[in-house]
Amino acid sequence: MTQDELKRLVAEAALERVSPLLSPGCVIGVGTGSTTNHFIDLLAGVKARIGAAVSSSDASSQRLAGHGIEVIDLNEADAMVAYVDGADEVALDNALIKGGGGAHTREKIVAAAAGHFICIVDQSKLVDTLGAFPLPVEVIAMARSSVARRLRELGGDPRQRPGFTTDNGNDILDVHGLVVDDPATWEALINNIPGVVDNGIFAANRPQTVLVGTASGVTLRE
Ligand code: 5RP
């Protein structure tokens, strides 16, 4: 199977999992990326059983709206049945690196608000230790250099993502060379640097459920 077929497979498994929770008035949280795009496209088939979606990016909002699914602001949503999103790396303890699409700040907010994060990945995303994927750090533009200096002191090699501005109007530093052996500590340490909006480690807000698309089917990690 191709990687894209595995992404579709795991998106189908996520829909199967959330299906019993859907009702015409319900709200579902939706992430960003090519795996989530499959999930959004599948949601279109059950849109009569969804009240609205809360989206983590402008790109996903547009895709949802294109399918006729109403997108509401998080501030208008009382509760979500679940939040479904992909990841760039998944460690053995289900801690993640996200933000390959630069949307991790909103993704973390919506995931936390939903209370149940279902992470959908193909098998290529599984790692023993986080950090081979450069860690995305969203920064306020005026603090880019000072944050980069601090990240270098911590052993990383931060590189500004060229030609990219987040939906929040900020810059992204992709930090190469970090060995994220203690994700919760690294997440807090980096977020404590003045000027950092949020980094792509999901440890404090790791998913409750991880579905993995493999050549022999979908496996579940909880
Ligand atoms: C976007 C993300 C994505 O979930 C992550 O990059 C995975 O993307 P894909 O499903 O395209 O592999 O964190 O900010």
Side-chain angles (χ1 to χ4, degrees):
M1 282 175 105
T2 66
Q3 188 179 24
D4 194 56
E5 285 167 342
L6 293 177
K7 289 180 179 192
R8 176 81 184 188
L9 184 73
V10 77
E12 286 168 355
L15 184 66
E16 215 170 283
R17 207 165 169 91
V18 297
S19 194
L21 309 173
L22 300 180
S23 64
C26 81
V27 178
I28 186 159
V30 175
T32 303
S34 56
T35 316
T36 305
N37 281 345
H38 282 299
F39 181 72
I40 293 173
D41 295 346
L42 290 164
L43 271 185
V46 295
K47 67 181 175 190
R49 291 200 287 130
I50 302 169
V54 172
S55 165
S56 68
S57 66
D58 294 346
S60 290
S61 296
Q62 280 168 20
R63 198 173 185 101
L64 286 157
H67 285 307
I69 297 170
E70 187 188 357
V71 179
I72 60 170
D73 193 274
L74 177 60
N75 292 305
E76 295 166 24
D78 283 340
M80 283 172 267
V81 291
Y83 173 75
V84 178
D85 196 2
D88 299 297
E89 283 187 342
V90 183
L92 298 171
D93 59 0
N94 286 350
L96 311 176
I97 285 184
K98 289 182 48 55
H104 58 275
T105 297
R106 292 189 187 190
E107 290 169 345
K108 201 178 285 185
I109 293 168
V110 183
H116 188 175
F117 176 6
I118 300 172
C119 182
I120 52 174
V121 292
D122 65 85
Q123 60 195 13
S124 72
K125 306 294 182 67
L126 301 181
V127 297
D128 290 340
T129 306
L130 301 176
F133 188 91
L135 176 66
V137 179
E138 181 167 356
V139 293
I140 304 283
M142 71 163 286
R144 194 177 56 242
S145 297
S146 56
V147 171
R149 268 195 298 280
R150 180 68 187 127
L151 289 167
R152 268 184 225 106
E153 285 168 10
L154 293 172
D157 171 16
R159 301 180 202 166
Q160 184 178 1
R161 194 175 294 186
F164 187 87
T165 304
T166 69
D167 288 347
N168 309 311
N170 299 313
D171 292 344
I172 294 275
L173 293 172
D174 290 308
V175 189
H176 297 245
L178 290 180
V179 179
V180 185
D181 44 8
D182 180 352
T185 300
W186 276 103
E187 182 179 14
L189 185 67
I190 294 173
N191 278 356
N192 274 336
I193 304 171
V196 169
V197 180
D198 206 342
N199 72 80
I201 300 172
F202 283 55
N205 295 290
R206 75 189 64 198
Q208 286 71 34
T209 302
V210 177
L211 297 171
V212 184
T214 78
S216 49
V218 174
T219 61
L220 169 69
R221 290 168 40 165
E222 285 181 315

